[in-house]
């Protein structure tokens, strides 16, 4: 099996095993068996289980942020772009079976991964924002403002996804209300006014 194919097979197998057993309880023997490779093959690509977990989460985040960007890019122009970007990010994350399970079952692992890979998460969100912004908007507000928005979205998303909530935040309308009340007032100054195309 070519190296790239083996890596993809390992990541695919790990995703299935993580979904079945959780991130902390997966045995690398089970991942190897499902992928059709040896444990040695896994260790050639990933130094330990934590690196494998990080690689799976990174791959799934890349796909998730691309899906968020595509959905918002194809949607009709929302009344408030920022509220909709925040709301759709939460909804799509919750629909991802493995990432959502990790948030619910293993919040300590999520925080650990945030500490180690937060810069990459900001880059992924900023890339998605550049795709969905109207032409020229990201350039007009500048990279620092785009990164500030990405950071703000991720921080408030973590609040909604990890922490218990005093109010229900299950429906799109409840998330939009939360975003208007808490998220919008926290946006960087360059982004406070509505998007102008």
């Amino acid at each position: 099996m070519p190296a790239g194919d083996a890596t993809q097979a390992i990541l695919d197998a790990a995703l299935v095993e993580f979904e079945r057993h959780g991130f902390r309880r997966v045995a690398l023997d089970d991942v190897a068996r499902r992928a059709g490779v040896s444990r040695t093959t896994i260790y050639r690509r990933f130094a330990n289980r934590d690196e494998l977990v990080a690689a799976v989460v990174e791959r799934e985040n890349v796909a998730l942020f691309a899906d968020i960007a595509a959905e918002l890019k194809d949607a009709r122009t929302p009344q408030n772009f920022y509220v909709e970007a925040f709301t759709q990010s939460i909804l799509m994350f919750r629909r991802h079976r493995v990432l959502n399970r990790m948030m619910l079952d293993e919040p300590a692992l999520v925080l650990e991964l945030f500490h180690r890979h937060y810069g990459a998460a900001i880059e992924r969100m900023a890339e998605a924002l550049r795709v969905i912004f109207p032409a020229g908007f990201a350039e007009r507000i500048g990279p620092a403002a785009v990164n500030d928005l990405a950071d703000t979205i991720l921080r408030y998303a973590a609040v909604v996804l990890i922490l218990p909530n005093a109010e229900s935040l299950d429906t799109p309308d409840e998330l939009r209300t939360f975003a208007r009340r808490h998220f919008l007032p926290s946006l960087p100054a360059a982004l406070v006014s509505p998007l102008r195309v």
Side-chain angles (χ1 to χ4, degrees):
M1 178 181 304
D5 292 347
T7 300
Q8 288 308 309
I10 292 166
L11 294 173
D12 291 342
L15 183 67
V16 171
E17 293 298 321
F18 294 153
E19 183 176 5
R20 287 182 164 186
H21 307 291
F23 284 82
R24 296 272 190 211
R25 294 180 296 281
V26 166
L28 289 184
D29 285 333
D30 294 334
V31 173
R33 191 172 16 266
R34 180 172 295 281
V37 300
S38 69
R39 279 178 58 106
T40 304
T41 301
I42 292 176
Y43 282 115
R44 281 189 199 125
R45 287 159 179 78
F46 307 99
N48 53 45
R49 186 166 47 108
D50 289 346
E51 275 193 21
L52 178 60
V53 167
V56 169
V57 169
E58 172 67 7
R59 183 183 78 164
E60 295 306 300
N61 276 333
V62 167
L64 180 68
F65 285 124
D67 289 346
I68 290 167
E71 183 158 319
L72 286 171
K73 184 83 174 164
D74 294 341
R76 62 181 176 77
T77 305
Q79 182 178 9
N80 188 308
F81 173 80
Y82 302 123
V83 168
E84 202 57 30
F86 176 81
T87 301
Q88 290 306 315
S89 296
I90 299 294
L91 292 173
M92 292 184 79
F93 199 94
R94 285 179 175 165
R95 285 193 294 258
H96 192 289
R97 294 185 318 256
V98 175
L99 295 177
N100 191 50
R101 178 177 177 177
M102 181 178 65
M103 286 284 193
L104 296 173
D105 295 349
E106 305 188 48
L109 175 62
V110 172
L111 292 175
E112 179 184 320
L113 290 171
F114 261 144
H115 282 284
R116 284 196 274 153
H117 304 285
Y118 193 66
I122 289 175
E123 286 176 27
R124 299 285 174 258
M125 179 58 82
E127 287 171 23
L129 290 170
R130 283 186 203 87
V131 168
I132 57 183
F133 279 148
F137 183 75
E139 293 76 19
R140 193 171 36 195
I141 64 172
V146 174
N147 286 342
D148 281 350
L149 177 58
D151 179 44
T152 305
I153 289 172
L154 289 171
R155 288 180 186 280
Y156 276 86
V159 165
V160 170
L161 292 167
I162 295 176
L163 297 178
N165 298 295
E167 58 193 279
S168 174
L169 296 175
D170 297 325
T171 70
D173 286 338
E174 291 168 345
L175 289 167
R176 287 182 187 103
T177 298
F178 174 90
R180 283 186 205 98
R181 189 169 50 237
H182 301 287
F183 171 66
L184 283 182
S186 71
L187 288 179
L191 302 170
V192 171
S193 62
L195 275 177
R196 290 187 180 93
V197 247

